[in-house]
Amino acid sequence: MSDTERWLAALAVVLAYLAFCGLTAWRWRRKTRAQRAAAGSEGTAEYLVVHASQTGFAEQLAARTAEALRSGGHRVRAARIDALTGHGLGAGGRVLFLASTAGEGDAPDDAAGFVRKVMGASADLTGLRYGLLALGDSSYVNYCAFGRRLDAWLRERGATPMFPAVEVDDGDAVALRQWEAHLGMLAGTAPAAWAPLQADIWHLAERRLLNPGSPGGPAFHIALTPTARLPDWQAGDIAEVAPRNPPAAVDALLTALSLDPALPVDAGDGATLAEALAARRLPEDAAGLAGLPGQVLLDRLPPLPQRDYSIASLPADGALELLVREMRHPDGRLGLGSGWLTAHAPLGGSIELRIRRNSGFHPPPDDRPAILIGNGTGLAGLRALLKARQAAGHRRNWLIFGERTRAADYFHAAEIEAWVTTGLLHRVDLAFSRDQRERVYVQHLLAGAGEAVRHWVADGAAIYVCGSRDGMAVAVHTALATILGTGGLAALTEAGRYRRDVY
């Protein structure tokens, strides 16, 4: 074969190879475009359901909202508010916001980035249609403040409300039914009320006083066991307890109105009048109710609101455990929830309870360090987090805890000291405020350990705070802002490394 023939043969091989590569690349691009088109078609949601949640309640309602819309055949995508961008909202569409207000008018922690990056910037939202459910508590001065602020911002940016904002006061059922009716209209289905979330029946297995002789209110370790299979939950989740009125209060109302406590009533479970009234909000003054038949009286009284408690255990412990402090009204009456769990419910008796997912306080998924800060019965949520960290083998943990006296109020002291011995707790700082002349609280311990806090945060630590909002949580927040800088703490919040379960 001549040189020319050899060159032509080589050229033919090269051209054939290039043609093969070109055909392969074309087929790959065509397949990729088809996959992307399919993904875009399937991923384009007719409705985006967004929640801003501090304790998981807005997250729970967002899941039910998405379910209601899907039942009408609509495509729905759900997201936390910190996943939104101004560009995404500016693209238009239909968005349903479910937004809680934390404390005295604050945005939930998971909304911090959205407030700064999206609400703090200019955005044209003229193509956006939205609905808003604002959750709040009218016992606070700035009721539903974040929801109202979000509503005003959306309107200012040109977004169009699909219906007036719905405000819910402490889980008010009437307001929730308004939201349900709006969802029915959007979904194209009959606006039927949501079925009540099913509560499980638990037994009060243990009630143990943790702080005999304390200068503060009695605090109890409560253990509950289920009547059926033990359900699953994660550290950070919330127990929604359905409380009951004390029997003496029910008896006093029935006596004042001359009603038979054994009268059968229609309460959905074949209960007697006395049993049904135990679950209703009793009137302060019964004078205007005299002469009403028992069923009419019952129908006029709203159900008692649930009480939320941080869960202090894991399913592996075999029981759902709580730390509950006895609370009293100025007139000496026990608080509704604490009175039921610490005094009125009989040992072995039934407790209605539902577990609520609270993803905003779940432990880190990795072995990053964790700084756990709390006071009083806030140890409950921290205890569950430490148990989860122990089960995962994540051992770099720092507990900062405060109470009144070491002798009486060092809750679960033996357990904490054992965690120190085994190395689960790398460091423990305790503030017992009444054990010295000058009061020492957890925020003072933080201020004195600023360099260590900065070192842990630089190593990737997450900070968890559990306990009283008024006093402790505010003071801890201020101390952390001083140590890390306001911008540093904001960045930590937006990264999900500063989480709070406060009440």
Side-chain angles (χ1 to χ4, degrees):
M1 180 182 292
S2 66
D3 290 341
T4 301
E5 290 174 332
R6 284 197 293 269
W7 276 108
L8 289 173
L11 179 62
V13 171
V14 170
L15 290 174
Y17 176 76
L18 291 175
F20 172 77
C21 291
L23 179 62
T24 302
W26 175 78
R27 286 176 174 172
W28 180 85
R29 284 195 299 269
R30 186 177 66 172
K31 180 180 179 181
T32 301
R33 283 196 299 268
Q35 289 174 338
R36 288 177 177 172
S41 174
E42 293 172 1
T44 301
E46 287 190 51
Y47 287 97
L48 174 62
V49 177
V50 177
H51 68 267
S53 185
Q54 187 67 36
T55 64
F57 187 43
E59 182 181 2
Q60 180 187 81
L61 293 178
R64 303 196 83 185
T65 295
E67 180 183 359
L69 292 172
R70 290 189 183 106
S71 70
H74 296 281
R75 293 192 300 275
V76 181
R77 184 165 61 90
R80 281 174 34 142
I81 195 167
D82 56 3
L84 300 185
T85 64
H87 176 75
L89 289 176
R94 290 173 286 187
V95 181
L96 295 177
F97 293 91
L98 296 93
S100 294
T101 293
E104 285 293 359
D106 298 328
D109 291 341
D110 65 3
F114 177 82
V115 170
R116 185 178 68 86
K117 298 176 184 177
V118 182
M119 294 180 69
S122 60
D124 180 5
L125 304 182
T126 52
L128 181 68
R129 300 177 65 207
Y130 74 94
L132 173 66
L133 181 73
L135 302 169
D137 186 338
S138 60
S139 66
Y140 290 91
V141 174
N142 297 310
Y143 170 60
C144 283
F146 177 64
R148 292 174 178 178
R149 179 182 171 192
L150 177 61
D151 189 36
W153 176 79
L154 289 165
R155 291 173 183 269
E156 289 168 1
R157 298 301 180 191
T160 303
M162 292 183 283
F163 47 80
V166 177
E167 296 184 350
V168 181
D169 183 8
D170 196 20
D172 176 52
V174 175
L176 287 175
R177 281 197 291 272
Q178 294 176 11
W179 181 254
E180 294 157 12
H182 289 309
L183 293 181
M185 296 289 289
L186 296 178
T189 59
W194 284 337
L197 290 173
Q198 185 63 43
D200 295 319
I201 303 299
W202 298 68
H203 291 310
L204 179 55
E206 182 184 5
R207 179 165 54 208
R208 172 165 49 91
L209 180 64
L210 291 173
N211 60 343
S214 171
F220 292 83
H221 174 85
I222 303 292
L224 304 165
T225 55
T227 56
R229 182 184 61 85
L230 188 73
D232 193 22
W233 69 85
Q234 294 187 55
D237 288 345
I238 302 293
E240 300 177 349
V241 174
R244 294 292 182 263
N245 291 303
V250 175
D251 292 342
L253 177 64
L254 291 169
T255 300
L257 298 177
S258 301
L259 290 171
D260 180 6
L263 178 72
V265 292
D266 181 12
D269 55 3
T272 65
L273 180 58
E275 291 168 340
L277 286 174
R280 300 301 177 101
R281 197 189 295 269
L282 302 183
E284 295 290 336
D285 184 3
L289 302 174
L292 291 179
Q295 186 65 54
V296 175
L297 169 68
L298 187 65
D299 293 340
R300 287 195 179 185
L301 301 177
L304 288 174
Q306 69 190 27
R307 290 293 185 263
D308 295 346
Y309 296 95
S310 302
I311 301 175
S313 61
L314 299 179
D317 297 313
L320 189 149
E321 298 172 356
L322 310 172
L323 273 67
V324 181
R325 189 181 301 280
E326 186 181 272
M327 304 299 294
R328 289 191 179 270
H329 297 287
D331 62 4
R333 289 180 299 121
L334 282 168
L336 180 63
S338 68
W340 173 237
L341 291 172
T342 67
H344 303 311
L347 276 174
S350 297
I351 304 288
E352 287 190 25
L353 183 148
R354 182 172 56 242
I355 295 172
R356 183 173 77 232
R357 174 182 167 84
N358 182 25
S359 61
F361 207 67
H362 286 172
D366 52 29
D367 64 351
R368 69 179 59 244
I371 304 174
L372 312 176
I373 307 167
N375 71 332
T377 55
L379 183 62
L382 306 182
R383 181 176 185 249
L385 289 172
L386 283 167
K387 285 175 173 284
R389 299 276 289 176
Q390 182 180 41
H394 300 158
R395 300 171 64 82
R396 192 174 177 193
N397 304 293
W398 178 2
L399 175 65
I400 306 174
F401 173 68
E403 244 296 339
R404 289 172 175 82
T405 68
R406 177 183 287 268
D409 301 296
Y410 190 178
F411 305 150
H412 297 295
E415 188 173 52
I416 293 172
E417 297 299 331
W419 284 336
V420 173
T421 301
T422 60
L424 177 67
L425 279 171
H426 183 83
R427 176 170 176 172
V428 175
D429 290 301
L430 302 171
F432 294 107
S433 60
R434 309 295 177 88
D435 281 356
Q436 58 281 312
R437 178 173 296 178
E438 292 188 7
R439 300 291 170 85
V440 177
Y441 301 106
V442 291
Q443 62 267 27
H444 300 136
L445 299 183
L446 271 175
E451 187 59 36
V453 171
R454 284 189 289 270
H455 178 70
W456 278 56
V457 169
D459 284 349
I463 300 176
Y464 288 77
V465 180
C466 191
S468 57
R469 178 186 300 278
D470 298 331
M472 187 278 296
V474 173
V476 164
H477 186 86
T478 301
L480 288 172
T482 300
I483 293 168
L484 303 173
T486 303
L489 187 56
L492 212 64
T493 303
E494 293 173 21
R497 292 171 54 197
Y498 176 43
R499 302 186 174 212
R500 297 184 292 177
D501 175 13
V502 296
Y503 42 85

